[in-house]
Amino acid sequence: MFYSPYDWLLLPAMALALYAQYKVRSTYERFSQIRAAAGLTGAQVASRLLRASNINDVTVEETSGTLSDHYDPAKKVLRLSSGVYASDSIAALGVAAHETGHAEQHATGYLPLRLRHSIVPLANFGSSLAIPLFLVGLLLSIPSLMTLGILFFAGAVLFQVVTLPVEFDASRRALAHLQSAGFLSESEVGGARKVLSAAALTYIAATAVALVHLLRLIMVRRMRD
């Protein structure tokens, strides 16, 4: 973003982010090679879990990319990457069930998810304008613009913070449903848990990086007082 005397604060957070990326990819690749005994694909598991939860207005589609799986609440579409959609691996079933957890959150009006959706415009607006406003204020010595930039950036950070309980809850639902429905055995659930825990670490790392950036902006702003 820009250089400051507080750049060293970013090092631990960036190290965590790099480790999280490595962890999620290595764990996903490991359990993508292990087939689940049930023999069901990610798409089949997602469809069955949706029906079991009485969610009949969400479709399951295949999408391109790796680890590009997501639930689209606006179109009510659960999109699974090719490696998940057609795979019967432990990793695929864990990811598919996790995304189904988001659809279940949406259907039941899960409060943190509703809150996250409500602050999406603020987060998008803040992330695009925060740093330019802050830099203009810094270069022109206008503290009020720096403060405004910090406030906008805080909105983007809030989005990251609210994302954490949403993702943790989706994983909790996924593991519970996979085991109770018999899609994964008790020993296989452990593998799915490792995949979802590694994925959760990426969200924790992203939040840590955002919080450190916010702290950095605040400290630079205080230098101008």
Side-chain angles (χ1 to χ4, degrees):
M1 296 175 0
F2 62 91
Y3 294 106
S4 79
Y6 303 105
D7 286 351
W8 60 271
L9 291 170
L10 291 171
L11 295 179
M14 294 302 296
L16 177 61
L18 291 173
Y19 173 74
Q21 291 178 13
Y22 158 77
K23 187 67 174 178
V24 70
R25 291 194 174 275
S26 61
T27 306
Y28 176 77
E29 289 175 5
R30 174 187 171 189
F31 288 99
S32 290
Q33 306 303 315
I34 304 176
R35 298 179 63 184
L40 298 172
T41 66
Q44 290 172 324
V45 166
S47 296
R48 294 190 185 191
L49 289 179
L50 288 170
R51 289 198 299 269
S53 298
N54 294 317
I55 302 174
N56 302 308
D57 56 350
V58 172
T59 58
V60 181
E61 296 180 355
E62 185 175 4
T63 189
S64 59
T66 302
L67 294 176
S68 55
D69 313 86
H70 63 280
Y71 170 64
D72 184 343
K75 296 183 178 179
K76 291 192 174 183
V77 176
L78 199 159
R79 299 189 178 95
L80 301 177
S81 59
S82 299
V84 170
Y85 186 91
S87 172
D88 61 357
S89 70
I90 292 176
L93 269 59
V95 172
H98 174 88
E99 298 306 330
T100 305
H102 286 312
E104 185 178 343
Q105 290 172 339
H106 186 210
T108 58
Y110 181 61
L111 182 58
L113 182 68
R114 291 166 55 192
L115 178 59
R116 187 174 75 167
H117 288 167
S118 68
I119 62 178
V120 165
L122 173 63
N124 291 338
F125 187 69
S127 61
S128 61
L129 287 181
I131 301 307
L133 282 173
F134 187 88
L135 286 176
V136 170
L138 179 64
L139 293 173
L140 300 181
S141 297
I142 306 176
S144 59
L145 277 184
M146 297 173 68
T147 300
L148 186 58
I150 290 173
L151 291 175
F152 279 142
F153 194 80
V157 173
L158 177 61
F159 179 83
Q160 294 285 353
V161 172
V162 173
T163 292
L164 293 179
V166 173
E167 296 300 329
F168 293 159
D169 179 74
S171 291
R172 179 192 62 78
R173 293 172 190 255
L175 295 171
H177 291 333
L178 285 171
Q179 191 164 17
S180 64
F183 296 143
L184 291 180
S185 66
E186 186 173 348
S187 60
E188 291 173 331
V189 166
R193 181 177 290 107
K194 289 180 180 179
V195 172
L196 297 181
S197 295
L201 185 59
T202 63
Y203 292 103
I204 294 173
T207 302
V209 170
L211 286 170
V212 172
H213 272 306
L214 179 61
L215 176 62
R216 178 169 165 261
L217 294 178
I218 292 172
M219 295 179 75
V220 172
R221 168 65 181 83
R222 292 185 64 181
M223 290 174 58
R224 293 305 176 108
D225 287 340

